[in-house]
Amino acid sequence: MKVLTTTGGQQIFKIIPREYATTATLLITDDQTNVTKSYANINPTVSVNHLKITQTFNPVLVEGHFYNMVLKNSSNKIIYKDRIFCTAQGIDQAQDQEYTINSGVYTSDTSYDNDFIIL
């Protein structure tokens, strides 16, 4: 699963496809609305053993939505399938910043001390 953001700017992600292509079409289907958006003539670049895709999503991806992603080569053959989750939260596994469904909804109260008396 790829995790992308709600930004209107370019987003970069890497994939390992069935075959490498220099021209491709990216199809993204929203699970909740079942609307498919096609991004034709994208030019992925080969980076070591990955295809690096740089794409601007217009309209922007919606917070909390799941998407199905299909990448097709120039002969319309499917070379990659995956899921996308869109979030505005900062996620960085190297810094232990993980996605939490309760972000901004639940706050813990730390105004009390945790002292107790045993009799």
Side-chain angles (χ1 to χ4, degrees):
M1 180 185 309
K2 305 295 178 203
V3 179
L4 299 178
T5 65
T6 58
T7 183
Q10 288 186 341
Q11 299 192 56
I12 300 171
F13 57 95
K14 293 181 180 179
I15 62 170
I16 301 176
R18 294 179 185 145
E19 68 180 50
Y20 294 93
T22 55
T23 303
T25 301
L26 182 64
L27 301 167
I28 298 200
T29 305
D30 189 335
D31 278 358
Q32 293 181 0
T33 62
N34 204 27
V35 173
T36 301
K37 175 69 176 164
S38 176
Y39 300 94
N41 297 325
I42 64 169
N43 298 314
T45 57
V46 177
S47 173
V48 187
N49 293 327
H50 297 85
L51 271 185
K52 185 168 109 175
I53 298 174
T54 303
Q55 185 62 41
T56 302
F57 296 101
N58 187 12
V60 295
L61 303 177
V62 179
E63 167 78 22
H65 282 217
F66 284 92
Y67 297 87
N68 291 319
M69 174 177 62
V70 175
L71 187 68
K72 295 182 177 183
N73 63 8
S74 57
S75 61
N76 213 25
K77 180 181 172 186
I78 296 174
I79 59 173
Y80 186 77
K81 287 183 172 183
D82 205 349
R83 303 260 302 157
I84 295 173
F85 179 67
C86 180
T87 181
Q89 290 183 26
I91 298 174
D92 185 4
Q93 290 180 345
Q95 301 294 325
D96 287 334
Q97 293 176 346
E98 298 175 355
Y99 175 78
T100 175
I101 196 166
N102 294 328
S103 178
V105 176
Y106 174 77
T107 56
S108 59
D109 183 17
T110 59
S111 63
Y112 59 90
D113 57 1
N114 201 13
D115 293 339
F116 55 94
I117 299 171
I118 299 176
L119 298 175

